[in-house]
């Protein structure tokens, strides 16, 4: 009898193996087959982030209550009706992101976040309890906390969308593996090291830390773009020290180097050029020197241009120099063709100093010290947005803190004439939303007086202040009616129409520069709405 049982188990394993090699249909398997499959899966090696999931109160709450948004009307800012309307949402960011998945799904172009760094210094809470250095589940709580939110924000990104995630050494490996899992390793655009504390942290035991990281991920690398930095007054003469009648220029070898530069890969770009001391030709002539793309090691390479392009451009763009008794050809490299400087993976600039351009900047704005701990440098965020956003982008920061991202969006709009809009989400722990983030945005939009009493001009823009609220999730008439009454703000957010045209109990109409939105709360009011639509002409 035992032998029969062993024989049956071996057969089952063979069946399992055959099923696994195709597509397993577990519903057709016997109990014994399923037990063997579970044992096999438990032995299987895995690569990736594994942690013990931790329940989170704000996530569990959404199973019994639906988050909605309520506008706090007395905190609205309107500088100009034609200006973009930005949003500041007070509440837990999980609840805010849940609502944004209705109003902004697929509409966010850039997400910039600076989450808690989980340093164990009692600055981060999970389920309203401080997570300190001695908490044995601090890494699991952090991974669970981020996963809940990152899975929500992935669907918010537009096809060209980019996520920028800043973190330091405490959780860099956790975050990178988690982001790889959620967004896909193929969508990782790069990791940038930002020197935000050039003095180094003196309280570090072994090495004085100067940097943090910015992880860049795309929704889809096929559509995402990382733009170049513009040349400035300092970089332009360094990279383009020469000048002719056309523009400044630098010089690079006309012989191609690097990938796909060998003759056998691009044979059409291997051809002789003849130089007679005064002019070029592709035709052999008496006394002319034959120049081929062959490097010092005798390797046959290629030219950068085809023969037709060479004939079109050589008069203004090709330079001849004698190098080690050989004629060499060089191409002029012009700033308008290069288009800018490709971002590098180490950002080292005094502008990124979080003390000078974060802490001190806030102290000046509020005319008091210690307003907010560890704010980002305004320029670190500004430069990040320069290379990730378009002039009409929607930018989200759901760990808004002191509001640096909103400030940076308004500053960049002023700089390049853009119409970017921001959405900031923050809770009100220690009054951060009401006493720091909101007042900062007000000052930046409207302007303020500095410590010397001098007027600093505002950057303009409009702002809606919203707060998370809840209605019951059970689909009964009472909850449906409550949800309907709460729908106005979310519908306006979804359509980006905030300017009121008509407001009654039965009908509300809002508009922006391009469209109107009509909301009907009573079907008996539909004829009246039709008349309003006819007057509007849309």
């Amino acid at each position: 009898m035992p032998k029969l049982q062993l024989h049956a188990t071996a057969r089952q394993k063979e069946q399992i193996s055959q099923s696994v090699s195709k597509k397993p249909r577990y519903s057709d398997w016997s109990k014994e087959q399923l037990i063997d499959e579970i044992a096999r899966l438990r032995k299987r090696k895995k690569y990736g982030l594994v942690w013990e999931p931790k329940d989170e109160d704000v996530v569990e709450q959404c199973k019994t209550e639906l988050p909605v948004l309520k506008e706090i009307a007395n905190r609205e800012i309107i500088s100009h009706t034609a200006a973009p309307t930005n949003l500041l949402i007070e509440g837990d960011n999980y609840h805010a992101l849940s609502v944004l998945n209705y109003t902004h799904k697929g509409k966010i172009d850039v997400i910039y976040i600076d989450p808690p760094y989980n340093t164990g210094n009692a600055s981060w809470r999970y389920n309203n309890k401080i997570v300190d250095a001695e908490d044995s589940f601090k890494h699991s709580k952090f991974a669970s906390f981020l996963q809940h939110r990152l899975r929500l924000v992935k669907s918010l990104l537009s096809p060209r969308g980019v996520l920028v995630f800043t973190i330091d050494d405490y959780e860099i490996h956790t975050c990178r593996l988690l982001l790889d899992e959620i967004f896909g390793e193929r969508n990782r655009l790069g990791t940038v090291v930002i020197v935000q504390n050039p003095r180094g942290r003196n309280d570090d035991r072994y090495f004085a830390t100067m940097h943090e990281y910015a992880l860049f991920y795309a929704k889809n690398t096929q559509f995402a773009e990382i733009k170049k930095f513009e040349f400035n007054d300092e970089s332009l003469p360094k990279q383009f020290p020469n000048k002719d009648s056309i523009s400044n220029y630098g010089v690079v070898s006309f012989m191609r180097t690097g990938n796909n530069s060998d003759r056998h890969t691009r044979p059409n770009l291997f051809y002789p050029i003849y130089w007679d001391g005064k002019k070029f030709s592709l035709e052999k002539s008496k006394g002319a020197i034959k120049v081929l793309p062959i490097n010092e090691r005798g390797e046959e390479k290629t030219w950068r241009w085809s023969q037709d392009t060479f004939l079109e451009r050589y008069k203004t763009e090709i330079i001849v120099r004698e190098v080690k008794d050989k004629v060499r050809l060089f191409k002029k490299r012009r700033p308008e063709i290069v288009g800018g400087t490709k971002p590098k993976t180490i950002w080292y600039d005094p502008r990124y100093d979080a003390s000078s351009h974060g802490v001190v900047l806030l102290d000046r704005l509020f005319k008091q010290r210690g307003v907010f701990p560890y704010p980002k440098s305004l320029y670190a965020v500004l430069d990040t947005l320069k290379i990730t956003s378009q002039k009409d982008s929607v930018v989200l920061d759901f760990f808004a803190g002191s509001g640096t991202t909103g400030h940076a969006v308004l500053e960049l709009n002023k700089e390049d004439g853009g119409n970017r809009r921001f959405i900031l989400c923050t809770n009100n722990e220690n009054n951060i939303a009401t006493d720091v983030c909101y007042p900062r945005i007000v000052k930046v939009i409207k302007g303020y007086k500095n410590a010397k009493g001098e007027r600093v001009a505002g950057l303009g823009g409009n702002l809606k202040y919203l707060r998370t609220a809840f209605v019951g999730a059970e689909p009964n008439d009472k909850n449906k009616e409550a949800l309907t009454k709460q729908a106005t703000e979310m519908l306006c957010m979804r359509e980006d129409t905030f300017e009121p045209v008509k407001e009654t109990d039965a009908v509300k109409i809002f508009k922006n520069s391009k469209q109107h939105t009509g909301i009907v709360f009573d079907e008996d009011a539909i004829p009246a709405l039709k008349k309003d639509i006819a007057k509007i002409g849309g």
Side-chain angles (χ1 to χ4, degrees):
M1 199 67 168
K3 288 183 180 179
L4 275 175
Q5 182 63 42
L6 286 171
H7 179 69
T9 302
R11 232 178 125 184
Q12 288 167 2
K13 287 181 178 178
E14 185 180 351
Q15 291 172 351
I16 291 171
S17 177
Q18 291 173 352
S19 299
V20 170
S21 65
K22 300 174 185 177
K23 285 187 177 180
R25 292 182 57 183
Y26 295 120
S27 58
D28 297 338
W29 289 18
S30 67
K31 180 180 178 181
E32 289 78 14
Q33 287 176 310
L34 290 171
I35 291 171
D36 280 348
E37 173 71 346
I38 291 170
R40 185 187 71 82
L41 290 173
R42 282 182 173 174
K43 291 179 182 178
R44 186 175 62 180
K45 291 183 178 180
K46 295 179 181 179
Y47 178 80
L49 187 62
V50 179
W51 74 95
E52 184 173 337
K54 290 292 176 183
D55 290 337
E56 190 176 358
D57 292 346
V58 295
V59 177
E60 295 300 309
Q61 185 179 0
C62 290
K63 295 177 181 178
T64 57
E65 295 182 291
L66 298 176
V68 294
L69 295 176
K70 281 186 175 181
E71 182 183 356
I72 311 301
N74 62 0
R75 291 185 180 161
E76 181 181 29
I77 305 172
I78 300 177
S79 66
H80 194 286
T81 54
T85 297
N86 305 289
L87 305 174
L88 172 53
I89 302 172
E90 176 195 324
D92 188 272
N93 55 17
Y94 183 83
H95 298 146
L97 292 172
S98 299
V99 177
L100 289 174
N101 261 277
Y102 168 72
T103 63
H104 284 76
K105 192 170 187 176
K107 296 180 181 179
I108 306 295
D109 300 304
V110 182
I111 297 175
Y112 179 97
I113 53 172
D114 181 38
Y117 283 6
N118 201 22
T119 61
N121 64 358
S123 62
W124 175 52
R125 293 175 181 270
Y126 192 83
N127 289 343
N128 296 316
K129 294 180 181 178
I130 289 174
V131 180
D132 59 32
E134 304 306 315
D135 190 325
S136 58
F137 289 102
K138 67 177 183 178
H139 295 296
S140 290
K141 289 177 179 177
F142 190 72
S144 297
F145 173 79
L146 286 178
Q147 181 194 227
H148 290 146
R149 288 150 181 81
L150 290 172
R151 292 201 182 280
L152 284 176
V153 302
K154 185 179 180 183
S155 59
L156 293 178
L157 283 171
S158 67
R160 70 183 184 186
V162 174
L163 169 78
V164 185
F165 186 111
T166 62
I167 201 70
D168 71 358
D169 283 304
Y170 284 95
E171 293 286 1
I172 176 64
H173 304 297
T174 301
C175 295
R176 184 158 163 162
L177 285 170
L178 187 60
L179 288 163
D180 278 354
E181 180 180 311
I182 293 173
F183 286 87
E185 187 178 346
R186 66 189 179 281
N187 289 318
R188 189 200 310 145
L189 300 174
T191 301
V192 173
V193 175
I194 303 176
V195 179
Q196 98 302 353
N197 182 3
R199 295 161 298 282
R201 286 203 301 247
N202 290 325
D203 55 349
D204 286 346
R205 185 172 180 183
Y206 301 110
F207 299 94
T209 304
M210 303 168 62
H211 69 283
E212 62 185 16
Y213 305 92
L215 307 174
F216 287 71
Y217 282 78
K219 175 72 172 286
N220 188 326
T221 51
Q222 289 185 329
F223 306 110
E225 177 189 7
I226 297 296
K227 296 190 289 187
K228 295 179 179 179
F229 287 123
E230 292 181 359
F231 297 114
N232 55 39
D233 294 338
E234 183 179 333
S235 64
L236 192 66
K238 286 182 179 179
Q239 295 194 47
F240 307 95
N242 310 300
K243 192 170 185 178
D244 61 14
S245 59
I246 299 175
S247 71
N248 287 78
Y249 67 89
V251 174
V252 294
S253 173
F254 186 52
M255 189 190 310
R256 188 183 293 272
T257 59
N259 294 332
N260 298 319
S261 64
D262 295 324
R263 178 181 181 177
H264 71 273
T265 59
R266 305 286 292 276
N268 61 312
L269 297 182
F270 183 90
Y271 55 88
I273 297 173
Y274 296 92
W275 168 249
D276 67 4
K278 293 182 180 180
K279 63 179 185 294
F280 292 106
S281 174
L282 296 182
E283 302 294 332
K284 185 177 181 180
S285 60
K286 187 177 180 180
I289 298 171
K290 180 180 179 181
V291 186
L292 286 167
I294 299 175
N295 64 21
E296 293 179 351
R297 295 190 294 274
E299 298 168 332
E300 293 183 333
K301 310 300 281 186
T302 61
W303 299 125
R304 292 179 181 269
W305 298 336
S306 68
Q307 296 182 52
D308 289 342
T309 304
F310 175 81
L311 290 174
E312 288 174 9
R313 302 181 185 178
Y314 77 84
K315 289 182 180 179
T316 61
E317 305 303 313
I318 297 297
I319 296 173
V320 178
R321 289 178 180 172
E322 193 172 292
V323 180
K324 296 181 180 179
D325 298 326
K326 287 188 178 181
V327 171
R328 296 292 188 191
L329 305 187
F330 295 86
K331 181 182 80 72
K332 293 180 180 179
R333 178 175 174 268
R334 300 187 185 276
E336 59 269 26
I337 301 299
V338 176
T341 302
K342 182 177 284 189
K344 297 178 174 60
T345 55
I346 296 180
W347 291 10
Y348 194 127
D349 191 297
R351 298 165 69 254
Y352 304 140
D353 185 344
S355 177
S356 301
H357 302 292
V359 175
V360 175
L361 176 62
L362 271 185
D363 291 349
R364 288 174 180 169
L365 271 169
F366 286 86
K367 290 187 277 191
Q368 67 182 75
R369 294 176 65 85
V371 175
F372 181 78
Y374 313 120
K376 280 278 182 287
S377 162
L378 173 66
Y379 300 105
V381 183
L382 185 71
D383 282 359
T384 301
L385 295 178
K386 280 182 180 180
I387 62 173
T388 55
S389 72
Q390 308 295 329
K391 288 187 177 183
D392 61 348
S393 289
V394 181
V395 179
L396 168 66
D397 182 349
F398 57 92
F399 288 100
S402 67
T404 305
T405 300
H407 191 164
V409 167
L410 297 174
E411 192 73 48
L412 186 54
N413 281 344
K414 177 189 174 185
E415 191 175 301
D416 67 6
N419 287 295
R420 299 169 187 82
R421 289 168 287 149
F422 65 74
I423 302 173
L424 305 181
C425 308
T426 180
N427 61 26
N428 202 30
E429 187 177 313
N430 299 321
N431 299 322
I432 184 177
T434 54
D435 294 356
V436 182
C437 189
Y438 175 70
R440 177 181 187 173
I441 299 301
V442 172
K443 290 174 184 290
V444 172
I445 289 176
K446 293 184 173 182
Y448 62 97
K449 285 186 178 181
N450 62 22
K452 297 179 181 178
E454 300 166 333
R455 180 71 183 171
V456 177
L459 300 176
N462 301 327
L463 182 75
K464 290 275 187 181
Y465 190 109
L466 304 121
R467 185 177 289 149
T468 54
F470 298 90
V471 298
E474 186 180 340
N476 55 41
D477 290 345
K478 179 182 177 182
N479 289 339
K480 288 177 182 178
E481 184 178 352
L483 183 60
T484 301
K485 289 179 179 178
Q486 300 277 14
T488 302
E489 286 86 354
M490 293 184 288
L491 288 168
C492 288
M493 285 172 61
R494 185 183 174 106
E495 300 299 323
D496 190 32
T497 47
F498 294 101
E499 186 180 345
V501 175
K502 179 179 181 178
E503 291 191 73
T504 68
D505 290 340
V507 173
K508 299 183 190 295
I509 301 175
F510 300 87
K511 71 174 184 177
N512 60 24
S513 59
K514 298 178 181 178
Q515 68 184 52
H516 287 68
T517 299
I519 306 171
V520 185
F521 293 88
D522 185 339
E523 63 184 40
D524 292 337
I526 291 176
L529 177 62
K530 287 182 177 179
K531 291 180 181 179
D532 290 324
I533 292 172
K535 292 177 185 176
I536 291 167

